[in-house]
């Protein structure tokens, strides 16, 4: 048995395999694969945003916009940029789908350390974001290009597998983060090449422009006014043989007699404190922060927002109300005040359609014109 392990028939293939892995890891760390990344991937998204900042110049970025997909898709960023440009300010769109507080902290940390003229943060905040659990998993993929600035408490609290140290070692490699994209490249090479050619025709700075949302429909065909009708709609949709994007989302949210969750006092205090710690960290450094409170579909009120979410928001904002560089732009009721049916301005229960996006963005610009960001 010992002779077999010592024989090159055993160790030579193993050595070649290890050398190939090391070579691939070096190749990925050098950024040589990045031009092959899927234009639609989270990795490519953050890499291109960072490249756009360097293309414009670190000295020339003054404000950043943060938020998840609702801010990324729901805000006409080009209008904000145009308004800021009147004051000689450049405004960078650093909104990322699925991003949560650790991502906001990472992007703010990077901006503070690398942008010499960094002045302010514009943060899109639907009410549901106030009830985010601490340290959500996988935020490093979302802000991959900026991940060296992840907050230490996020890194320290990620799950560690004590039984398989090799798994923990693998999770720290670039291979683990790029593997999904590499497999997708191998599976659909010709399609990927077409996507890359289209992407190369666009300069990096276009990543700061607003998204032209392809989902132009509304959700008025679905009865989602109350919890009971939400359940019934999900039951009826589950009987369909073919489901579209909206159908699947409604079944996921409303199916199986979904019920509203409840935050206890400990959770309310924890969520409040984590937001206050983030805001105060940058207010104390002289960075202005403006929060945009988003309108949401009624499903968040009767189902998706846990009871106590509003209390987290109230405590957080009230604690900062007297801070000179802290501002709240409350646009939660812009649709209801004009008696606009919510279903007509959402492409699904989470995101605005182009009509909602334009109405919301115009309302924000009016507020900025009345009182400029500063």
């Amino acid at each position: 048995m010992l002779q077999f392990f010592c024989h090159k028939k055993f160790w030579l293939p193993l050595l070649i395999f290890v050398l190939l892995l090391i070579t691939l890891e070096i190749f990925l760390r050098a950024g040589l694969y990045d031009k092959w990344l899927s234009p639609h991937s989270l990795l490519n998204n953050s890499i291109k945003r960072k490249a756009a900042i360097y293309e414009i110049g670190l000295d020339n970025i003054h404000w950043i916009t943060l938020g998840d997909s609702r801010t990324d898709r729901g805000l006409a960023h080009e209008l904000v940029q145009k308004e800021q440009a009147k004051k000689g300010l450049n405004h960078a769109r650093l909104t990322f789908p699925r991003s949560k507080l650790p991502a906001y902290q990472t992007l703010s940390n990077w901006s503070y350390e690398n942008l010499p003229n960094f002045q302010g943060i514009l943060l899109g905040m639907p009410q549901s974001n106030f009830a985010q659990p601490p340290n959500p998993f996988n935020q490093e993929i979302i802000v991959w290009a900026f991940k060296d600035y992840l907050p230490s408490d996020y890194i320290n609290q990620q799950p560690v597998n004590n039984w398989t140290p090799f798994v923990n070692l693998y999770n720290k490699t670039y291979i683990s983060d790029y593997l999904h994209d590499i497999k997708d490249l191998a599976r659909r090479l010709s399609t990927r090449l077409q996507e890359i050619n289209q992407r190369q025709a666009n300069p990096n700075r276009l990543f700061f422009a607003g998204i032209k949302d392809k989902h132009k429909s509304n959700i008025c065909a679905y009865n989602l006014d109350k919890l009971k009708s939400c359940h019934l709609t999900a039951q009826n949709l589950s009987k369909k043989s073919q489901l579209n994007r909206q159908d699947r989302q409604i079944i996921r949210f409303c199916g199986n007699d979904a019920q509203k969750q409840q935050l206890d006092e400990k959770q309310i205090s924890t969520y409040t404190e984590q937001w206050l710690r983030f805001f105060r960290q940058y207010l104390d450094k002289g960075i202005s922060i403006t929060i945009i409170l988003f309108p949401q579909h009624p499903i968040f009120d009767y189902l998706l927002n846990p009871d106590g979410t509003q209390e987290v928001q109230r405590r957080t904002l009230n604690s900062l109300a007297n801070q000179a560089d802290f501002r709240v732009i409350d646009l939660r009721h812009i649709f209801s005040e004009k008696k606009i049916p919510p279903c007509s301005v959402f492409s699904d229960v989470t995101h605005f359609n182009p009509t909602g996006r334009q109405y919301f963005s115009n309302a924000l610009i009016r507020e900025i014109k009345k009182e400029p960001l500063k």
Side-chain angles (χ1 to χ4, degrees):
M1 179 65 71
L2 182 60
Q3 289 180 339
F4 172 74
F5 287 120
C6 292
H7 198 280
K8 67 179 181 180
K9 288 185 177 180
F10 170 77
W11 59 258
L12 186 58
L14 185 61
L15 177 62
I16 293 173
F17 178 71
V18 171
L19 289 175
L20 286 173
L21 287 180
I22 293 173
T23 302
L24 177 59
E25 180 72 11
I26 294 172
F27 184 81
L28 295 175
R29 286 179 180 269
L32 299 177
Y33 177 83
D34 290 349
K35 64 182 179 180
W36 301 97
L37 280 166
S38 168
H40 312 296
S41 70
L42 295 172
L43 287 172
N44 181 72
N45 199 10
S46 70
I47 289 169
K48 286 298 179 181
R49 303 282 184 97
K50 190 173 184 179
I53 291 176
Y54 278 95
E55 186 176 294
I56 295 171
L58 296 177
D59 291 350
N60 296 324
I61 303 293
H62 308 93
W63 276 70
I64 60 173
T65 303
L66 303 178
D68 60 16
S69 62
R70 289 170 284 187
T71 308
D72 195 46
R73 290 166 49 181
L75 177 61
H77 298 268
E78 65 277 10
L79 296 182
V80 177
Q81 292 164 3
K82 183 179 179 180
E83 194 61 32
Q84 289 284 74
K86 293 177 182 178
K87 299 178 292 181
L89 301 176
N90 265 327
H91 203 116
R93 168 179 156 236
L94 291 180
T95 50
F96 291 93
R98 305 183 208 173
S99 62
K100 300 186 185 302
L101 179 56
Y104 307 155
Q105 293 172 304
T106 302
L107 296 165
S108 300
N109 291 344
W110 184 90
S111 298
Y112 185 78
E113 294 295 332
N114 293 275
L115 304 180
N117 297 313
F118 181 40
Q119 297 178 18
I121 298 168
L122 182 66
L123 175 61
M125 283 290 286
Q127 189 179 82
S128 57
N129 283 10
F130 281 94
Q132 291 178 2
N135 298 303
F137 183 60
N138 224 22
Q139 292 290 285
E140 66 273 15
I141 295 295
I142 294 166
V143 291
W144 170 260
F146 308 89
K147 68 187 181 74
D148 290 342
Y149 292 83
L150 279 162
S152 58
D153 56 349
Y154 172 80
I155 297 171
N156 295 335
Q157 294 185 37
Q158 290 308 294
V160 175
N161 191 325
N162 294 323
W163 298 101
T164 53
F166 288 110
V167 172
N168 295 326
L169 179 63
Y170 170 73
N171 288 337
K172 295 178 180 179
T173 65
Y174 276 45
I175 293 174
S176 67
D177 293 319
Y178 278 79
L179 184 60
H180 175 77
D181 194 272
I182 294 171
K183 289 162 63 177
D184 183 67
L185 172 65
R187 187 171 58 250
R188 53 185 200 94
L189 179 60
S190 60
T191 304
R192 175 71 68 85
L193 291 177
Q194 292 176 3
E195 294 173 347
I196 291 171
N197 287 334
Q198 293 173 359
R199 177 187 69 190
Q200 289 175 342
N202 297 322
N204 291 327
R205 66 181 61 208
L206 287 186
F207 274 73
F208 286 160
I211 297 174
K212 305 302 181 186
D213 200 331
K214 62 184 178 181
H215 302 301
K216 297 182 179 180
S217 60
N218 59 48
I219 52 173
C220 292
Y222 304 93
N223 186 355
L224 302 171
D225 293 337
K226 299 178 181 179
L227 182 59
K228 185 175 181 180
S229 59
C230 180
H231 288 161
L232 184 59
T233 299
Q235 291 171 12
N236 292 334
L237 289 174
S238 63
K239 299 173 185 177
K240 291 175 61 175
S241 56
Q242 291 187 327
L243 301 174
N244 61 31
R245 178 184 62 90
Q246 296 163 325
D247 296 338
R248 289 191 293 271
Q249 187 194 54
I250 292 168
I251 291 173
R252 185 170 78 250
F253 287 156
C254 301
N256 300 320
D257 295 328
Q259 298 295 321
K260 195 175 179 70
Q261 302 298 310
Q262 172 73 50
L263 299 180
D264 59 31
E265 178 56 35
K266 182 178 180 181
Q267 289 173 309
I268 291 173
S269 297
T270 298
Y271 296 165
T272 301
E273 188 53 42
Q274 69 178 2
W275 283 112
L276 288 176
R277 189 163 56 247
F278 167 56
F279 292 141
R280 285 171 174 156
Q281 176 186 356
Y282 284 94
L283 290 169
D284 290 347
K285 293 176 178 179
I287 303 299
S288 297
I289 297 177
T290 296
I291 306 295
I292 315 168
L293 298 182
F294 271 54
Q296 296 189 133
H297 188 276
I299 193 175
F300 281 89
D301 293 327
Y302 65 72
L303 178 60
L304 299 182
N305 280 351
D307 283 334
T309 303
Q310 189 170 359
E311 180 62 15
V312 176
Q313 176 183 287
R314 188 192 67 79
R315 292 185 190 182
T316 302
L317 300 185
N318 284 354
S319 296
L320 299 170
N322 295 323
Q323 290 270 3
D325 294 325
F326 185 79
R327 177 184 175 190
V328 177
I329 300 178
D330 190 351
L331 301 179
R332 288 175 295 173
H333 308 295
I334 58 169
F335 299 139
S336 59
E337 287 172 352
K338 298 293 183 181
K339 297 184 168 34
I340 299 174
C343 69
S344 68
V345 289
F346 285 89
S347 64
D348 54 41
V349 299
T350 309
H351 303 98
F352 299 143
N353 60 19
T355 301
R357 177 180 183 268
Q358 194 63 43
Y359 195 92
F360 170 78
S361 299
N362 288 341
L364 175 62
I365 295 302
R366 286 195 297 271
E367 291 298 320
I368 294 176
K369 284 179 180 293
K370 286 192 293 185
E371 183 182 344
L373 301 178
K374 56 184 180 179

